[in-house]
Amino acid sequence: MKRKYKWLIGCLVFIAILLLSAGMYFFHVAEVRDVAADKPDKLRAKTNSLYHYEHDFLSREKQTWTQKTSDNLKLIAWYVPAEKKTGKTAILAHGWHNNKTTMAIYGELFHELGYNVLIPDNRAHGDSQGEMIGYGWLDRRDYIGWLNQILENNGQKSDIVMYGMSMGAATVLSTSGENDLPNQVKAIIADSSYTSVIEEIKHEAGDMYGLPWFPLVNVVSGISKVRAGYSYEEASPLRQVEKNTRPTFFIQGGADTFVPTKMVYPLYNASRGPKQLWITKGSKHVQSFHDYPVAYRSKIKAFLEKYDK
């Protein structure tokens, strides 16, 4: 009998060590800074439908803004003033393992629409400091800091629009539910947000690795709580957007398998303010602008003309 207990205890210890080792590996893959994300994106060819957006924005003169976070990280952002002086500013949030160069196409879109443009590198990305990726949850407080900096630099009469894609969409939706969100935020545009980090990581466990999510994802979430200060369960754009009353435009690719298309519906339903939804037929993850460049610009322009007059 003692031998059987020893064998059972040995098996449990082995499984625990295996789970912890696997959890540490996947935590590193998912949440620890990737140096490849610090490098500018490979630029588009001239034949690409978005070439002029990228080329024109990257060639524009940029100011560098900085922010010191509550946990003492130095964050970096590009700021491009509008051609004509205006109080309207768009702040753009990039995706996982991306950086501000990724957002050049969107920066030019908003610049053409007459906005000042601010594009931060999120913590643990690009030129900003940090080792732990925030998945929009840690970043939501950083974006409150950026919003306040816009007001300090451009004045209290500013009109601000928040735009994000993928993890950036989760960032702006998470920011939308903060109690101290400035009143000057007039509208939000979210392209391809997940409902929560736990649901997205569970999906990726099966889709990318063919693994059952339980109990591995729970282990990784626990490691995140210890190492990064948040669990995957609490990092929920869905719960945040339930507190949002600002006009919000939800965009999602109809063929998105990285952040499944179905995730947009509970987000859309939860938002309490005026809202619009556009599912782009056949588009994969964050490819809606590439696939429908004219319609993408037109729909965003119409949305802003309605809610950020």
Side-chain angles (χ1 to χ4, degrees), residues 166 169-170 173 190-205 207 235-239 241 250-254 256-271 277 279 285:
S166 194
L173 292 181
D191 185 338
S192 307
S193 175
Y194 40 80
T195 50
S196 66
V197 174
I198 188 72
E199 291 302 321
E200 177 61 15
I201 299 298
K202 283 163 62 174
H203 168 74
E204 294 305 330
D207 190 61
S236 174
L238 179 59
R239 283 199 296 269
V241 85
F250 296 89
I251 302 170
Q252 194 86 14
D256 194 343
T257 57
F258 187 75
V259 174
T261 305
K262 65 182 181 181
M263 285 193 178
V264 75
Y265 297 109
L267 290 168
Y268 173 80
N269 290 333
S271 189
L277 174 63
I279 307 295
H285 189 57

Side-chain angles (χ1 to χ4, degrees), residues 40 110 209 244-245 274 282:
F110 282 94
Y209 297 99
N244 171 49
T245 59

Side-chain angles (χ1 to χ4, degrees), residues 23-36:
M24 290 297 294
Y25 169 79
F26 284 111
F27 171 79
H28 191 275
V29 170
E31 208 163 329
V32 176
R33 184 183 197 118
D34 178 6
V35 294

Side-chain angles (χ1 to χ4, degrees), residues 144-158:
I144 292 293
W146 288 122
L147 292 169
N148 288 329
Q149 193 168 151
I150 291 171
L151 298 179
E152 290 169 10
N153 291 346
N154 294 358
Q156 294 296 315
K157 293 184 178 180
S158 296

Side-chain angles (χ1 to χ4, degrees), residues 78-96:
W78 279 342
Y79 179 77
V80 177
E83 292 289 349
K84 296 181 180 179
K85 189 173 182 179
T86 181
K88 293 187 175 185
T89 302
I91 180 170
L92 315 184
H94 65 71
W96 181 71

